[in-house]
PDB file of all heavy atoms in Angstrom:
ATOM      1  N   SER D 296     -30.603  25.544  62.058  1.00  0.00           N
ATOM      2  CA  SER D 296     -29.494  24.972  62.883  1.00  0.00           C
ATOM      3  C   SER D 296     -28.678  26.083  63.499  1.00  0.00           C
ATOM      4  O   SER D 296     -28.048  25.812  64.595  1.00  0.00           O
ATOM      5  CB  SER D 296     -28.549  24.175  61.821  1.00  0.00           C
ATOM      6  OG  SER D 296     -28.012  25.008  60.874  1.00  0.00           O
ATOM      7  N   GLU D 297     -28.587  27.178  62.945  1.00  0.00           N
ATOM      8  CA  GLU D 297     -27.759  28.303  63.441  1.00  0.00           C
ATOM      9  C   GLU D 297     -28.395  28.764  64.839  1.00  0.00           C
ATOM     10  O   GLU D 297     -27.623  29.286  65.690  1.00  0.00           O
ATOM     11  CB  GLU D 297     -27.611  29.407  62.512  1.00  0.00           C
ATOM     12  CG  GLU D 297     -26.737  29.057  61.304  1.00  0.00           C
ATOM     13  CD  GLU D 297     -26.493  30.164  60.336  1.00  0.00           C
ATOM     14  OE1 GLU D 297     -26.850  31.275  60.651  1.00  0.00           O
ATOM     15  OE2 GLU D 297     -26.011  29.936  59.253  1.00  0.00           O
ATOM     16  N   SER D 298     -29.624  28.734  64.988  1.00  0.00           N
ATOM     17  CA  SER D 298     -30.261  29.217  66.222  1.00  0.00           C
ATOM     18  C   SER D 298     -30.472  28.163  67.225  1.00  0.00           C
ATOM     19  O   SER D 298     -30.798  28.403  68.413  1.00  0.00           O
ATOM     20  CB  SER D 298     -31.613  29.913  65.935  1.00  0.00           C
ATOM     21  OG  SER D 298     -32.494  28.962  65.535  1.00  0.00           O
ATOM     22  N   ALA D 299     -30.268  26.904  66.848  1.00  0.00           N
ATOM     23  CA  ALA D 299     -30.442  25.767  67.801  1.00  0.00           C
ATOM     24  C   ALA D 299     -29.095  25.704  68.564  1.00  0.00           C
ATOM     25  O   ALA D 299     -28.054  25.380  68.055  1.00  0.00           O
ATOM     26  CB  ALA D 299     -30.682  24.414  67.173  1.00  0.00           C
ATOM     27  N   PRO D 300     -29.062  26.025  69.947  1.00  0.00           N
ATOM     28  CA  PRO D 300     -27.862  26.010  70.687  1.00  0.00           C
ATOM     29  C   PRO D 300     -27.144  24.738  70.673  1.00  0.00           C
ATOM     30  O   PRO D 300     -27.785  23.681  70.972  1.00  0.00           O
ATOM     31  CB  PRO D 300     -28.282  26.452  72.062  1.00  0.00           C
ATOM     32  CG  PRO D 300     -29.585  27.067  71.913  1.00  0.00           C
ATOM     33  CD  PRO D 300     -30.280  26.356  70.751  1.00  0.00           C
ATOM     34  N   PRO D 301     -25.862  24.691  70.316  1.00  0.00           N
ATOM     35  CA  PRO D 301     -25.123  23.525  70.267  1.00  0.00           C
ATOM     36  C   PRO D 301     -24.522  23.061  71.561  1.00  0.00           C
ATOM     37  O   PRO D 301     -24.419  23.821  72.534  1.00  0.00           O
ATOM     38  CB  PRO D 301     -23.943  23.778  69.278  1.00  0.00           C
ATOM     39  CG  PRO D 301     -23.673  25.223  69.647  1.00  0.00           C
ATOM     40  CD  PRO D 301     -25.024  25.876  69.973  1.00  0.00           C
ATOM     41  N   ASN D 302     -24.169  21.797  71.742  1.00  0.00           N
ATOM     42  CA  ASN D 302     -23.279  21.372  72.856  1.00  0.00           C
ATOM     43  C   ASN D 302     -21.904  22.057  72.493  1.00  0.00           C
ATOM     44  O   ASN D 302     -21.603  22.270  71.268  1.00  0.00           O
ATOM     45  CB  ASN D 302     -23.091  19.949  72.809  1.00  0.00           C
ATOM     46  CG  ASN D 302     -24.300  19.146  73.046  1.00  0.00           C
ATOM     47  OD1 ASN D 302     -25.160  19.476  73.893  1.00  0.00           O
ATOM     48  ND2 ASN D 302     -24.574  18.130  72.185  1.00  0.00           N
ATOM     49  N   ILE D 303     -21.129  22.337  73.506  1.00  0.00           N
ATOM     50  CA  ILE D 303     -19.865  23.064  73.279  1.00  0.00           C
ATOM     51  C   ILE D 303     -18.759  22.252  73.889  1.00  0.00           C
ATOM     52  O   ILE D 303     -18.802  21.983  75.192  1.00  0.00           O
ATOM     53  CB  ILE D 303     -19.941  24.444  73.790  1.00  0.00           C
ATOM     54  CG1 ILE D 303     -21.017  25.241  73.169  1.00  0.00           C
ATOM     55  CG2 ILE D 303     -18.580  25.214  73.605  1.00  0.00           C
ATOM     56  CD1 ILE D 303     -21.290  26.615  73.810  1.00  0.00           C
ATOM     57  N   ILE D 304     -17.656  21.922  73.252  1.00  0.00           N
ATOM     58  CA  ILE D 304     -16.500  21.406  73.724  1.00  0.00           C
ATOM     59  C   ILE D 304     -15.324  22.344  73.446  1.00  0.00           C
ATOM     60  O   ILE D 304     -15.092  22.682  72.195  1.00  0.00           O
ATOM     61  CB  ILE D 304     -16.132  20.017  73.217  1.00  0.00           C
ATOM     62  CG1 ILE D 304     -17.348  18.962  73.522  1.00  0.00           C
ATOM     63  CG2 ILE D 304     -14.895  19.396  73.810  1.00  0.00           C
ATOM     64  CD1 ILE D 304     -17.184  17.614  72.988  1.00  0.00           C
ATOM     65  N   PHE D 305     -14.561  22.694  74.422  1.00  0.00           N
ATOM     66  CA  PHE D 305     -13.362  23.529  74.221  1.00  0.00           C
ATOM     67  C   PHE D 305     -12.156  22.879  74.691  1.00  0.00           C
ATOM     68  O   PHE D 305     -11.950  22.639  75.834  1.00  0.00           O
ATOM     69  CB  PHE D 305     -13.578  24.941  74.902  1.00  0.00           C
ATOM     70  CG  PHE D 305     -12.683  26.031  74.404  1.00  0.00           C
ATOM     71  CD1 PHE D 305     -13.180  26.942  73.536  1.00  0.00           C
ATOM     72  CD2 PHE D 305     -11.377  26.118  74.880  1.00  0.00           C
ATOM     73  CE1 PHE D 305     -12.285  28.008  73.162  1.00  0.00           C
ATOM     74  CE2 PHE D 305     -10.518  27.056  74.426  1.00  0.00           C
ATOM     75  CZ  PHE D 305     -11.011  28.068  73.570  1.00  0.00           C
ATOM     76  N   ILE D 306     -11.267  22.486  73.755  1.00  0.00           N
ATOM     77  CA  ILE D 306     -10.111  21.714  74.089  1.00  0.00           C
ATOM     78  C   ILE D 306      -8.863  22.641  73.983  1.00  0.00           C
ATOM     79  O   ILE D 306      -8.690  23.344  72.980  1.00  0.00           O
ATOM     80  CB  ILE D 306      -9.870  20.496  73.083  1.00  0.00           C
ATOM     81  CG1 ILE D 306     -11.075  19.634  72.991  1.00  0.00           C
ATOM     82  CG2 ILE D 306      -8.673  19.621  73.471  1.00  0.00           C
ATOM     83  CD1 ILE D 306     -11.183  18.568  71.864  1.00  0.00           C
ATOM     84  N   MET D 307      -8.065  22.599  74.949  1.00  0.00           N
ATOM     85  CA  MET D 307      -6.891  23.415  74.954  1.00  0.00           C
ATOM     86  C   MET D 307      -5.652  22.700  75.365  1.00  0.00           C
ATOM     87  O   MET D 307      -5.565  22.126  76.522  1.00  0.00           O
ATOM     88  CB  MET D 307      -7.075  24.681  75.923  1.00  0.00           C
ATOM     89  CG  MET D 307      -5.991  25.669  75.889  1.00  0.00           C
ATOM     90  SD  MET D 307      -6.421  27.236  76.676  1.00  0.00           S
ATOM     91  CE  MET D 307      -6.551  26.747  78.412  1.00  0.00           C
ATOM     92  N   ALA D 308      -4.641  22.666  74.586  1.00  0.00           N
ATOM     93  CA  ALA D 308      -3.316  22.118  74.846  1.00  0.00           C
ATOM     94  C   ALA D 308      -2.529  23.079  75.741  1.00  0.00           C
ATOM     95  O   ALA D 308      -2.904  24.251  75.854  1.00  0.00           O
ATOM     96  CB  ALA D 308      -2.549  21.773  73.606  1.00  0.00           C
ATOM     97  N   ASP D 309      -1.418  22.621  76.331  1.00  0.00           N
ATOM     98  CA  ASP D 309      -0.655  23.429  77.182  1.00  0.00           C
ATOM     99  C   ASP D 309       0.814  23.546  76.663  1.00  0.00           C
ATOM    100  O   ASP D 309       1.468  22.581  76.518  1.00  0.00           O
ATOM    101  CB  ASP D 309      -0.597  22.742  78.585  1.00  0.00           C
ATOM    102  CG  ASP D 309      -0.107  23.613  79.625  1.00  0.00           C
ATOM    103  OD1 ASP D 309       0.566  24.592  79.416  1.00  0.00           O
ATOM    104  OD2 ASP D 309      -0.232  23.302  80.897  1.00  0.00           O
ATOM    105  N   ASP D 310       1.113  24.752  76.262  1.00  0.00           N
ATOM    106  CA  ASP D 310       2.474  25.084  75.659  1.00  0.00           C
ATOM    107  C   ASP D 310       2.635  24.424  74.257  1.00  0.00           C
ATOM    108  O   ASP D 310       3.827  24.187  73.989  1.00  0.00           O
ATOM    109  CB  ASP D 310       3.508  24.672  76.683  1.00  0.00           C
ATOM    110  CG  ASP D 310       3.694  25.525  77.894  1.00  0.00           C
ATOM    111  OD1 ASP D 310       2.893  26.457  77.983  1.00  0.00           O
ATOM    112  OD2 ASP D 310       4.664  25.386  78.596  1.00  0.00           O
ATOM    113  N   MET D 311       1.635  24.156  73.647  1.00  0.00           N
ATOM    114  CA  MET D 311       1.860  23.674  72.252  1.00  0.00           C
ATOM    115  C   MET D 311       2.033  24.815  71.318  1.00  0.00           C
ATOM    116  O   MET D 311       1.256  25.751  71.342  1.00  0.00           O
ATOM    117  CB  MET D 311       0.586  22.795  71.820  1.00  0.00           C
ATOM    118  CG  MET D 311       0.853  22.073  70.482  1.00  0.00           C
ATOM    119  SD  MET D 311      -0.639  21.273  69.986  1.00  0.00           S
ATOM    120  CE  MET D 311      -1.661  22.704  69.464  1.00  0.00           C
ATOM    121  N   GLY D 312       2.987  24.707  70.411  1.00  0.00           N
ATOM    122  CA  GLY D 312       3.391  25.869  69.576  1.00  0.00           C
ATOM    123  C   GLY D 312       2.428  25.921  68.351  1.00  0.00           C
ATOM    124  O   GLY D 312       1.753  25.026  68.002  1.00  0.00           O
ATOM    125  N   TYR D 313       2.550  27.087  67.725  1.00  0.00           N
ATOM    126  CA  TYR D 313       1.684  27.384  66.499  1.00  0.00           C
ATOM    127  C   TYR D 313       1.986  26.410  65.427  1.00  0.00           C
ATOM    128  O   TYR D 313       1.159  26.040  64.612  1.00  0.00           O
ATOM    129  CB  TYR D 313       1.962  28.876  66.082  1.00  0.00           C
ATOM    130  CG  TYR D 313       1.179  29.282  64.903  1.00  0.00           C
ATOM    131  CD1 TYR D 313      -0.163  29.693  65.114  1.00  0.00           C
ATOM    132  CD2 TYR D 313       1.681  29.268  63.597  1.00  0.00           C
ATOM    133  CE1 TYR D 313      -0.908  30.233  64.033  1.00  0.00           C
ATOM    134  CE2 TYR D 313       0.918  29.740  62.534  1.00  0.00           C
ATOM    135  CZ  TYR D 313      -0.362  30.194  62.752  1.00  0.00           C
ATOM    136  OH  TYR D 313      -1.133  30.593  61.712  1.00  0.00           O
ATOM    137  N   GLY D 314       3.338  25.950  65.373  1.00  0.00           N
ATOM    138  CA  GLY D 314       3.648  24.998  64.260  1.00  0.00           C
ATOM    139  C   GLY D 314       3.744  23.634  64.648  1.00  0.00           C
ATOM    140  O   GLY D 314       4.346  22.831  63.922  1.00  0.00           O
ATOM    141  N   ASP D 315       3.144  23.160  65.777  1.00  0.00           N
ATOM    142  CA  ASP D 315       3.260  21.838  66.205  1.00  0.00           C
ATOM    143  C   ASP D 315       2.238  20.838  65.639  1.00  0.00           C
ATOM    144  O   ASP D 315       2.299  19.609  65.866  1.00  0.00           O
ATOM    145  CB  ASP D 315       3.114  21.752  67.730  1.00  0.00           C
ATOM    146  CG  ASP D 315       4.436  21.948  68.528  1.00  0.00           C
ATOM    147  OD1 ASP D 315       5.508  21.506  67.896  1.00  0.00           O
ATOM    148  OD2 ASP D 315       4.449  22.388  69.644  1.00  0.00           O
ATOM    149  N   LEU D 316       1.321  21.313  64.806  1.00  0.00           N
ATOM    150  CA  LEU D 316       0.276  20.473  64.073  1.00  0.00           C
ATOM    151  C   LEU D 316       0.593  20.415  62.692  1.00  0.00           C
ATOM    152  O   LEU D 316       1.022  21.340  62.018  1.00  0.00           O
ATOM    153  CB  LEU D 316      -1.106  21.027  64.356  1.00  0.00           C
ATOM    154  CG  LEU D 316      -1.549  21.169  65.775  1.00  0.00           C
ATOM    155  CD1 LEU D 316      -2.972  21.851  65.817  1.00  0.00           C
ATOM    156  CD2 LEU D 316      -1.628  19.853  66.527  1.00  0.00           C
ATOM    157  N   ARG D 317       0.338  19.164  62.077  1.00  0.00           N
ATOM    158  CA  ARG D 317       0.552  19.015  60.641  1.00  0.00           C
ATOM    159  C   ARG D 317      -0.246  20.134  59.806  1.00  0.00           C
ATOM    160  O   ARG D 317       0.142  20.660  58.809  1.00  0.00           O
ATOM    161  CB  ARG D 317       0.109  17.683  60.235  1.00  0.00           C
ATOM    162  CG  ARG D 317       1.106  16.561  60.625  1.00  0.00           C
ATOM    163  CD  ARG D 317       2.361  16.593  59.843  1.00  0.00           C
ATOM    164  NE  ARG D 317       3.253  15.559  60.268  1.00  0.00           N
ATOM    165  CZ  ARG D 317       3.544  14.426  59.561  1.00  0.00           C
ATOM    166  NH1 ARG D 317       2.992  14.242  58.350  1.00  0.00           N
ATOM    167  NH2 ARG D 317       4.435  13.530  60.000  1.00  0.00           N
ATOM    168  N   CYS D 318      -1.413  20.370  60.276  1.00  0.00           N
ATOM    169  CA  CYS D 318      -2.255  21.341  59.530  1.00  0.00           C
ATOM    170  C   CYS D 318      -1.787  22.768  59.726  1.00  0.00           C
ATOM    171  O   CYS D 318      -2.349  23.673  58.986  1.00  0.00           O
ATOM    172  CB  CYS D 318      -3.775  21.199  59.954  1.00  0.00           C
ATOM    173  SG  CYS D 318      -4.070  21.349  61.760  1.00  0.00           S
ATOM    174  N   TYR D 319      -0.735  23.003  60.502  1.00  0.00           N
ATOM    175  CA  TYR D 319      -0.230  24.380  60.647  1.00  0.00           C
ATOM    176  C   TYR D 319       1.287  24.284  60.252  1.00  0.00           C
ATOM    177  O   TYR D 319       2.155  25.115  60.565  1.00  0.00           O
ATOM    178  CB  TYR D 319      -0.294  24.820  62.033  1.00  0.00           C
ATOM    179  CG  TYR D 319      -1.631  25.432  62.340  1.00  0.00           C
ATOM    180  CD1 TYR D 319      -2.728  24.617  62.747  1.00  0.00           C
ATOM    181  CD2 TYR D 319      -1.859  26.805  62.222  1.00  0.00           C
ATOM    182  CE1 TYR D 319      -3.927  25.139  63.000  1.00  0.00           C
ATOM    183  CE2 TYR D 319      -3.151  27.350  62.543  1.00  0.00           C
ATOM    184  CZ  TYR D 319      -4.193  26.549  62.918  1.00  0.00           C
ATOM    185  OH  TYR D 319      -5.393  27.027  63.194  1.00  0.00           O
ATOM    186  N   GLY D 320       1.714  23.202  59.446  1.00  0.00           N
ATOM    187  CA  GLY D 320       2.991  23.269  58.892  1.00  0.00           C
ATOM    188  C   GLY D 320       3.971  22.207  59.445  1.00  0.00           C
ATOM    189  O   GLY D 320       5.067  22.109  58.935  1.00  0.00           O
ATOM    190  N   GLN D 321       3.607  21.538  60.470  1.00  0.00           N
ATOM    191  CA  GLN D 321       4.487  20.492  61.148  1.00  0.00           C
ATOM    192  C   GLN D 321       4.673  19.359  60.120  1.00  0.00           C
ATOM    193  O   GLN D 321       3.820  18.965  59.382  1.00  0.00           O
ATOM    194  CB  GLN D 321       3.851  19.911  62.327  1.00  0.00           C
ATOM    195  CG  GLN D 321       4.591  18.837  63.088  1.00  0.00           C
ATOM    196  CD  GLN D 321       5.967  19.354  63.522  1.00  0.00           C
ATOM    197  OE1 GLN D 321       6.905  18.573  63.344  1.00  0.00           O
ATOM    198  NE2 GLN D 321       6.062  20.473  64.064  1.00  0.00           N
ATOM    199  N   THR D 322       5.918  18.851  60.016  1.00  0.00           N
ATOM    200  CA  THR D 322       6.301  17.831  59.156  1.00  0.00           C
ATOM    201  C   THR D 322       6.702  16.648  59.849  1.00  0.00           C
ATOM    202  O   THR D 322       6.901  15.448  59.124  1.00  0.00           O
ATOM    203  CB  THR D 322       7.353  18.350  58.173  1.00  0.00           C
ATOM    204  OG1 THR D 322       8.552  18.653  58.940  1.00  0.00           O
ATOM    205  CG2 THR D 322       6.994  19.530  57.328  1.00  0.00           C
ATOM    206  N   THR D 323       6.878  16.605  61.112  1.00  0.00           N
ATOM    207  CA  THR D 323       7.432  15.428  61.834  1.00  0.00           C
ATOM    208  C   THR D 323       6.481  14.784  62.752  1.00  0.00           C
ATOM    209  O   THR D 323       6.310  13.561  62.738  1.00  0.00           O
ATOM    210  CB  THR D 323       8.769  15.864  62.594  1.00  0.00           C
ATOM    211  OG1 THR D 323       9.646  16.412  61.675  1.00  0.00           O
ATOM    212  CG2 THR D 323       9.376  14.676  63.309  1.00  0.00           C
ATOM    213  N   ILE D 324       5.828  15.550  63.551  1.00  0.00           N
ATOM    214  CA  ILE D 324       4.836  15.074  64.634  1.00  0.00           C
ATOM    215  C   ILE D 324       3.617  14.592  63.863  1.00  0.00           C
ATOM    216  O   ILE D 324       3.058  15.376  63.086  1.00  0.00           O
ATOM    217  CB  ILE D 324       4.566  16.049  65.649  1.00  0.00           C
ATOM    218  CG1 ILE D 324       5.989  16.477  66.368  1.00  0.00           C
ATOM    219  CG2 ILE D 324       3.698  15.498  66.697  1.00  0.00           C
ATOM    220  CD1 ILE D 324       5.794  17.627  67.321  1.00  0.00           C
ATOM    221  N   GLN D 325       3.028  13.487  64.330  1.00  0.00           N
ATOM    222  CA  GLN D 325       1.856  12.915  63.616  1.00  0.00           C
ATOM    223  C   GLN D 325       0.624  13.433  64.411  1.00  0.00           C
ATOM    224  O   GLN D 325       0.481  13.142  65.639  1.00  0.00           O
ATOM    225  CB  GLN D 325       1.927  11.424  63.576  1.00  0.00           C
ATOM    226  CG  GLN D 325       3.040  10.805  62.849  1.00  0.00           C
ATOM    227  CD  GLN D 325       3.204   9.380  63.016  1.00  0.00           C
ATOM    228  OE1 GLN D 325       2.174   8.696  63.261  1.00  0.00           O
ATOM    229  NE2 GLN D 325       4.345   8.837  62.974  1.00  0.00           N
ATOM    230  N   THR D 326      -0.351  14.109  63.726  1.00  0.00           N
ATOM    231  CA  THR D 326      -1.553  14.554  64.399  1.00  0.00           C
ATOM    232  C   THR D 326      -2.753  14.374  63.390  1.00  0.00           C
ATOM    233  O   THR D 326      -3.486  15.261  62.979  1.00  0.00           O
ATOM    234  CB  THR D 326      -1.419  16.090  64.670  1.00  0.00           C
ATOM    235  OG1 THR D 326      -1.085  16.787  63.444  1.00  0.00           O
ATOM    236  CG2 THR D 326      -0.426  16.397  65.781  1.00  0.00           C
ATOM    237  N   PRO D 327      -3.025  13.093  63.046  1.00  0.00           N
ATOM    238  CA  PRO D 327      -4.026  12.883  62.015  1.00  0.00           C
ATOM    239  C   PRO D 327      -5.445  13.280  62.485  1.00  0.00           C
ATOM    240  O   PRO D 327      -6.233  13.687  61.516  1.00  0.00           O
ATOM    241  CB  PRO D 327      -3.903  11.318  61.818  1.00  0.00           C
ATOM    242  CG  PRO D 327      -3.372  10.766  63.123  1.00  0.00           C
ATOM    243  CD  PRO D 327      -2.325  11.850  63.547  1.00  0.00           C
ATOM    244  N   ASN D 328      -5.792  13.042  63.658  1.00  0.00           N
ATOM    245  CA  ASN D 328      -7.134  13.365  64.099  1.00  0.00           C
ATOM    246  C   ASN D 328      -7.503  14.847  64.157  1.00  0.00           C
ATOM    247  O   ASN D 328      -8.566  15.399  63.713  1.00  0.00           O
ATOM    248  CB  ASN D 328      -7.384  12.804  65.483  1.00  0.00           C
ATOM    249  CG  ASN D 328      -7.460  11.312  65.421  1.00  0.00           C
ATOM    250  OD1 ASN D 328      -8.300  10.630  64.807  1.00  0.00           O
ATOM    251  ND2 ASN D 328      -6.541  10.625  66.103  1.00  0.00           N
ATOM    252  N   ILE D 329      -6.438  15.689  64.643  1.00  0.00           N
ATOM    253  CA  ILE D 329      -6.679  17.093  64.632  1.00  0.00           C
ATOM    254  C   ILE D 329      -6.591  17.631  63.235  1.00  0.00           C
ATOM    255  O   ILE D 329      -7.312  18.572  62.892  1.00  0.00           O
ATOM    256  CB  ILE D 329      -5.565  17.711  65.558  1.00  0.00           C
ATOM    257  CG1 ILE D 329      -5.684  17.244  66.999  1.00  0.00           C
ATOM    258  CG2 ILE D 329      -5.647  19.248  65.485  1.00  0.00           C
ATOM    259  CD1 ILE D 329      -4.574  17.699  67.878  1.00  0.00           C
ATOM    260  N   ASP D 330      -5.741  17.045  62.392  1.00  0.00           N
ATOM    261  CA  ASP D 330      -5.683  17.476  60.967  1.00  0.00           C
ATOM    262  C   ASP D 330      -7.083  17.200  60.299  1.00  0.00           C
ATOM    263  O   ASP D 330      -7.485  17.885  59.464  1.00  0.00           O
ATOM    264  CB  ASP D 330      -4.603  16.693  60.235  1.00  0.00           C
ATOM    265  CG  ASP D 330      -3.242  17.027  60.774  1.00  0.00           C
ATOM    266  OD1 ASP D 330      -3.110  18.007  61.450  1.00  0.00           O
ATOM    267  OD2 ASP D 330      -2.277  16.203  60.584  1.00  0.00           O
TER     268      ASP D 330
END
């Protein structure tokens, strides 16, 4: 599997802070799918 080239998706938000996701410490904004 490591040598079989994968499809690649690169998602980038714009001006989103380091702490804006629950999985990076956010406590108010809901981000269940990214978490």
Side-chain angles (χ1 to χ4, degrees):
S296 61
E297 292 182 10
S298 65
N302 303 314
I303 301 168
I304 301 177
F305 197 97
I306 306 169
M307 187 165 69
D309 194 343
D310 284 6
M311 189 185 72
Y313 185 82
D315 271 331
L316 301 175
R317 288 288 180 107
C318 52
Y319 281 85
Q321 178 60 223
T322 59
T323 303
I324 302 173
Q325 301 172 29
T326 54
N328 293 296
I329 298 171
D330 299 340

